[in-house]
Amino acid sequence: MANASLASLVYFLPLAFCMLSPGHILGAQEKTPLAVMPMPAGVVPGKGEFAINGNFGIALEGYKEPRLERARQRFLETLSRETGIPLWREASLNRPHFIVRTAGPSAAVQQMGEDESYHLEISTTDIQLTAANPIGVIRGLQTFLQLVRITPISFTVPAVVIDDRPRFPWRGLLIDSGHRFIPASAVKRNLDGMEAVKLNVFHWRFADNQGFHIESKQFPLLQERGSGGFYYSQDEVRDVIAYARDRGIRVVPEFDMPCHTASWFMGYPELAGGQDPSGSSAMDPTREETYRFLARFIKEMADLFPDSYFHTGGDECDAKEWVNNPRIQEFMRAHGIKDGAGLQALFTRRIENIVASRKKIMEGWDEVLQPETPKEIVIQSWRGQDSLAEAVRSGHPGVLSSGYYIDLNQSAAEHYMVDPVGAGAATLTSSEKARVLGGEATMWTDIVSDENMDNRIWPRTAAIAERLWSPQELQDIDSMYQRLAIVSQKLTYYGLRHRLITDEMLERMTGEPDPVPLKVLAAVVQPPRMYERQELRSYSDFTPLNHLDDAVPPESDTAREFNAIAKRIALGKASPRDWQQAQGWLTLWRDNDAKLQPLLVRSYLTQELAPLSRNLSQVAEIGLQALNDLHENRLVSTEARQRNIDFLKASEKPQAVLRLMVAPSVELLVQANRTQ
Amino acid sequence: MANASLASLVYFLPLAFCMLSPGHILGAQEKTPLAVMPMPAGVVPGKGEFAINGNFGIALEGYKEPRLERARQRFLETLSRETGIPLWREASLNRPHFIVRTAGPSAAVQQMGEDESYHLEISTTDIQLTAANPIGVIRGLQTFLQLVRITPISFTVPAVVIDDRPRFPWRGLLIDSGHRFIPASAVKRNLDGMEAVKLNVFHWRFADNQGFHIESKQFPLLQERGSGGFYYSQDEVRDVIAYARDRGIRVVPEFDMPCHTASWFMGYPELAGGQDPSGSSAMDPTREETYRFLARFIKEMADLFPDSYFHTGGDECDAKEWVNNPRIQEFMRAHGIKDGAGLQALFTRRIENIVASRKKIMEGWDEVLQPETPKEIVIQSWRGQDSLAEAVRSGHPGVLSSGYYIDLNQSAAEHYMVDPVGAGAATLTSSEKARVLGGEATMWTDIVSDENMDNRIWPRTAAIAERLWSPQELQDIDSMYQRLAIVSQKLTYYGLRHRLITDEMLERMTGEPDPVPLKVLAAVVQPPRMYERQELRSYSDFTPLNHLDDAVPPESDTAREFNAIAKRIALGKASPRDWQQAQGWLTLWRDNDAKLQPLLVRSYLTQELAPLSRNLSQVAEIGLQALNDLHENRLVSTEARQRNIDFLKASEKPQAVLRLMVAPSVELLVQANRTQ
């Protein structure tokens, strides 16, 4: 069974793994097969396991370069953190058991579509990793790190043969350093996270209306007047690019134009397309000076960023500024341009010429797609698979971001089920599908800061990474969540802060070193999905993001688990443990309000949570009653039941910009009660 | 009441602070006055509080230098993390409310005894910080950051006037990069912690038998053969020195000689004093070549480290190597030297000459003290106040480290009560006492790594910092612990990892994302004090430090709190809340074993904990029975009571290199039972 397809293996593995060590009590790491994300394309489980101890060593053979040596050292450091064994000192390299063979170099600048495949063979005595180039090696090392687990004997990796390669060549994460400045250190630790889940494109967005956050030597007033003092120096940018290259990650810069550009006009008002530059957010597409400026600027940035792709944004242009400007109206009349879209198309053609003259391939958001748009331009779709399909049918390569907007507080499962060639793109022909390059998770920072960014990106982005790397058939959501929990823990060894943020922010909100009752509430609430947050609180780019809706993860694990239990109870399929767990949780929630209220009044950041806490208590009270009635098989009055359902429905409405996630599950219990 | 002495204020403040805002519900931050460590020398509480919001600004007046500007920016960044308000962007600097006035510069290289005083005045509308030089400003900014707390209105600082200056000019932390290499990033975050608690000497030790961890350009084989590949480059060292200077911290390097020097001989065996260099750990004090080498080496290092002091170690010389070497024996006979101490004294004189020729003041451990030792040499005492007093009486300046060995798992209270001019040094005359420069906490890394180092250093070192900064009369241990808990939380905003380490290591030990029953056990155990750990497990410098005794903090807060409750119950002074808390804890501990055992067997790192977990359960069972008997005022049989006491005594013996810290408190309960 060499290279078995994954779909069958996922279900085959649990049994195989249980057989590895008879009598071995299963821990969380083993409830699920190969706790790896993304799941490799081909897996053949072996027998036994390889033990990691202080004599562990790893040697490079074949093609060598400093990047490989650094990857090896980084691997040892991560493995040391994973195990607590100081392997980075390499006590014994007399006979390394882990041999890495690299056939040859990769491109001097990492190219889209380069070979990322690797072959990893783990026996009880030896490990072999082979790859065509350093990128494949980097991928294989990460798989190994995820396989490490603790057993009664030692840290081990299971014997296995893995043949792996990605499904899509473009697997990205956008970090928006335009709305809010994100320090380079935060960028770097997220590049470590990207490496861990085999993402290979860092889409770095530098400017928006709120700020211009990169140094231009050609036009220094951009950062001097537009950044509030916070911008990346070009040396810092080069450092990040090198850091990304070490991890097999390309860096595609985005300079969004002609709109979202108010911050450019702080230093260069002559670029503005509105009559009053200080109120303007769109560039003037009608003046030759604009293009002369952009030609110089794009040359500078194209030289700074070695990648072949160059993103010029192009999204969400509001034509009002243009059509309200008599000079631009005049131009449009003179050139027979009938609307803003036409004007933007003209702008796009000019920019595409400039970008092409720098030997770069232009990328843009959906809006740059016009009948006359040159076919090599890559369309990044924020509008959905229909829009992506339209771009691809008309001959463009496309990248999907719709469905991967990790700032919108959707569940990992929702993101996971979005496929770049699914939904509206499913009917593409296979040659059209080949133009779907992949997808990108987007970390917009309108209402996320560098402080809480990690808990928006991780662990959910690992689910998106799996969608983009692993076979399309892989769709088991339970398996995904089981593995996601383990990967989430492993990401801690890369310095990611997603698991620390909530507690730290809760402590700050209360001034208490361990505000347990607030933690209980925090575990069952979520910020509302999609764009509802902005409707519930007004946000500017100076708004402190230090409330509970900023602190909690986008997805409540507790609420999801409680929901699964409530479903089983309602269906009569619950175990005694389920009943016990439901009872325990509901009691905890019912009794929490009395402990939490005295805490809430002490801090201006928690006072708004009082009604939410009361609601949790009342919802839990209803839940306990329903649970009890179900257990005793008691009949309840239709009227009382309806009253409870009404209350539960009402309590689903956001309060303090948070949704109480357990109310729908309690409703399941109430609905399951038999009426008189 | 300008400049009231502290002793009276500590007891005066609680009342005064409660009066600030009538009807204001007290949070943890306000159970104690001025939750600041070290407590300032003079405090006059005011009325009301200053609110911190998005318009907060801080301006520098008077003398200016880039270091002050960086201190200001760092202050804004820490305050942003403390509040979650993006103050670092300085939305409004139209009218800064915080004015910093600096009279003039400090010395180009920070000197021992430089003025560190500051005056801080906070009213409801304005803040003024004045100081003679940038060091005082740096101290005052840290006081302000510690005063920040959350209230129902906003983040605030209380109105107050503070006049502050240190008691001792030498307040240090030693980090031992000799036994184990500590990455510069870990050093830096601990420098941030030092700044927070106003420590001003970073004693950086670079070599021991285990390794030589700094780059020498004169003798590159030192690091090439002696470091295992891990050493600080000179550029890195310069960077750390600059980082420390920014924080008002001097860097005193230590190169321990003539003993603990095996790692030097890897590259330069000709320095060895033993017949076989590969088994030798002491330098040869009889050969001129040794001094020629050390003269060049010390010149190089004296040039690298700008501080006036230069530490040459000198501790724990074992003369055996020397007296077993015929050549050295011959030398001793020829020069009338009768023992190893005499030979070391000769070595010390030679080294002192070399150090003095580089215009540095030499510092050494107790052992360098000999009748003929030049009086300017600073004696650092690891042997105790008697030894310190002896040095000071014979005319030397002295620094106390005995009692501040934070690697030995003593309590914060124990360290806190050690005074540099207490115990054997209490009888010094006042002019002798003036030669006691201060003290130094010592983070030896024999069995501590960079991973768990933060939880050994913090928060206990804040108690030592207070002893060295604040008035001697300050001795209230309860107040110290209350403030320590708050400071410990604040240190998180400086990036220190002490509060994260235990959970991270527990997760790694179990492979579970939230191993609750292991956390319950971990909260009530401690590694044994002093040198008992080494007797219970054998440690080399490659021993993985990933067991529970590495993971838990040196001091169990839960056990301390339980002990206080048990005392109150035994004395008949307990509140209903005390009874309830004791009952709750004992029940949790009794029931924990059943949950923990199935977890323990799964991991080789936790299996050894099985007996300890069983013990906790049995101790708690006994405690519950005793509590119940006390509550019901029941008589117990003398025999049963004695059996329980015997069991409790036995359970205090370390298991798995851990002590069960609640057993003595349960014994208090049992002892309080009346017998038939």
Side-chain angles (χ1 to χ4, degrees), chain A residues 8 12 91 183 247 272 290 548 584 626:
Chain A
S8 64
F12 159 68
R247 286 148 183 81
T290 301
L548 190 60

Side-chain angles (χ1 to χ4, degrees), chain B residues 506-523:
Chain B
L506 263 47
E507 288 179 11
R508 185 172 66 198
M509 289 171 66
T510 56
E512 294 286 330
D514 187 19
V516 176
L518 187 56
K519 288 182 183 176
V520 170
L521 178 64

Side-chain angles (χ1 to χ4, degrees), chain A residues 81 83 499 507-508 546, chain B residues 81 83 499 507-508 546:
Chain A
R81 283 193 296 273
T83 60
R499 298 175 77 227
E507 288 180 11
R508 186 171 67 199
N546 54 6
Chain B
R81 283 194 295 274
T83 60
R499 297 175 77 227
E507 288 179 11
R508 185 172 66 198
N546 54 6

Side-chain angles (χ1 to χ4, degrees), chain A residues 87 168 239 295 333 416 600:
Chain A
L87 300 166
F168 291 107
D239 178 52
R333 259 195 304 277
Y416 191 59
L600 296 181

Side-chain angles (χ1 to χ4, degrees), chain A residues 25-261:
Chain A
I25 294 161
L26 289 179
Q29 292 191 353
E30 292 159 76
K31 282 177 202 138
T32 186
L34 283 199
V36 175
M37 282 185 107
M39 184 63 82
V43 177
V44 181
K47 233 175 134 84
E49 43 199 3
F50 178 92
I52 296 164
N53 58 40
N55 294 319
F56 184 88
I58 170 169
L60 302 173
E61 292 187 0
Y63 171 74
K64 290 203 178 73
E65 63 176 32
R67 176 168 62 155
L68 278 168
E69 186 43 54
R70 289 193 295 271
R72 180 180 158 283
Q73 187 59 39
R74 201 164 64 244
F75 168 82
L76 285 170
E77 285 167 14
T78 308
L79 191 55
S80 298
R81 283 193 296 273
E82 254 190 288
T83 60
I85 306 170
L87 300 166
W88 51 274
R89 297 188 63 163
E90 298 187 279
S92 151
L93 264 182
N94 307 336
R95 203 225 146 210
H97 298 273
F98 191 159
I99 307 292
V100 177
R101 283 192 194 83
T102 316
S106 61
V109 171
Q110 189 171 328
Q111 295 302 305
M112 210 264 298
E114 261 192 283
D115 192 349
E116 301 180 67
S117 69
Y118 64 92
H119 175 82
L120 176 65
E121 249 183 275
I122 302 174
S123 78
T124 55
T125 53
D126 287 282
I127 303 147
Q128 316 257 353
L129 171 62
T130 55
N133 63 38
I135 307 173
V137 170
I138 288 164
R139 302 291 174 254
L141 291 176
Q142 294 301 318
T143 300
F144 182 92
L145 289 171
Q146 288 198 23
L147 287 171
V148 176
R149 57 195 184 169
I150 198 161
T151 74
I153 309 306
S154 67
F155 283 97
T156 68
V157 284
V160 69
V161 178
I162 290 175
D163 269 295
D164 200 10
R165 70 192 58 77
R167 181 173 162 222
F168 291 107
W170 191 298
R171 308 177 308 280
L173 171 66
L174 177 158
I175 291 182
D176 169 19
S177 302
H179 284 88
R180 292 184 189 243
F181 180 72
I182 305 296
S185 59
V187 167
K188 281 184 172 181
R189 69 173 181 254
N190 280 287
L191 287 168
D192 289 335
M194 290 177 68
E195 181 190 24
V197 299
K198 303 185 172 66
L199 291 175
N200 68 355
V201 178
F202 171 41
H203 175 164
W204 200 358
R205 197 166 175 278
F206 288 103
D208 205 303
N209 291 328
Q210 289 77 3
F212 188 98
H213 295 135
I214 183 173
E215 175 191 24
S216 167
K217 294 183 196 288
Q218 294 292 321
F219 301 104
L221 298 183
L222 284 169
Q223 70 271 14
E224 282 169 21
R225 304 222 175 129
S227 75
F230 292 88
Y231 59 88
Y232 310 101
S233 72
Q234 294 200 358
D235 279 343
E236 245 179 324
V237 168
R238 272 185 286 267
D239 178 52
V240 168
I241 292 169
Y243 194 91
R245 175 172 167 80
D246 263 11
R247 286 148 183 81
I249 298 168
R250 299 162 41 214
V251 180
V252 176
E254 176 183 342
F255 297 93
D256 196 359
M257 53 182 85
C259 302
H260 294 289
T261 47

Side-chain angles (χ1 to χ4, degrees), chain A residues 484-635:
Chain A
L484 194 65
I486 296 165
V487 169
S488 179
Q489 185 186 348
K490 294 238 169 181
L491 287 169
T492 313
Y493 301 122
Y494 295 77
L496 287 165
R497 310 198 82 254
H498 58 296
R499 298 175 77 227
L500 308 174
I501 289 163
T502 306
D503 281 357
E504 284 183 8
M505 292 178 75
L506 263 49
E507 288 180 11
R508 186 171 67 199
M509 289 171 66
T510 55
E512 294 286 330
D514 187 19
V516 175
L518 185 57
K519 288 183 184 176
V520 170
L521 177 65
V524 295
V525 294
Q526 277 178 211
R529 290 166 71 258
M530 311 310 280
Y531 295 97
E532 204 181 342
R533 274 184 91 193
Q534 287 90 325
E535 292 161 22
L536 298 168
R537 211 194 285 279
S538 85
Y539 291 96
S540 81
D541 48 328
F542 288 111
T543 307
L545 301 178
N546 54 6
H547 289 253
L548 190 60
D549 53 311
D550 304 300
V552 296
E555 187 172 6
S556 160
D557 289 332
T558 305
R560 194 181 60 250
E561 287 165 34
F562 178 68
N563 187 257
I565 292 174
K567 272 186 184 151
R568 287 195 294 271
I569 291 174
L571 290 172
K573 291 181 175 173
S575 66
R577 220 185 110 81
D578 283 339
W579 284 93
Q580 201 185 348
Q581 179 71 69
Q583 169 96 24
W585 264 335
L586 288 166
T587 309
L588 177 72
W589 298 332
R590 183 197 58 193
D591 299 343
N592 194 59
D593 187 54
K595 293 172 195 147
L596 183 51
Q597 291 293 350
L599 198 65
L600 296 181
V601 295
R602 289 186 214 154
S603 155
Y604 82 105
L605 290 174
T606 55
Q607 284 167 342
E608 64 176 351
L609 301 171
L612 190 65
S613 171
R614 269 194 300 276
N615 258 4
L616 174 60
S617 178
Q618 288 168 297
V619 164
E621 178 77 54
I622 292 170
L624 274 173
Q625 183 61 48
L627 196 70
N628 207 4
D629 291 341
L630 275 173
H631 197 257
E632 307 299 325
N633 214 1
R634 251 196 304 264
L635 297 180

Side-chain angles (χ1 to χ4, degrees), chain B residues 50 147 150 254 338 441 455 540 594 662:
Chain B
F50 178 93
L147 288 171
I150 199 161
E254 175 183 342
K338 61 174 187 300
N455 99 8
S540 81
V662 295

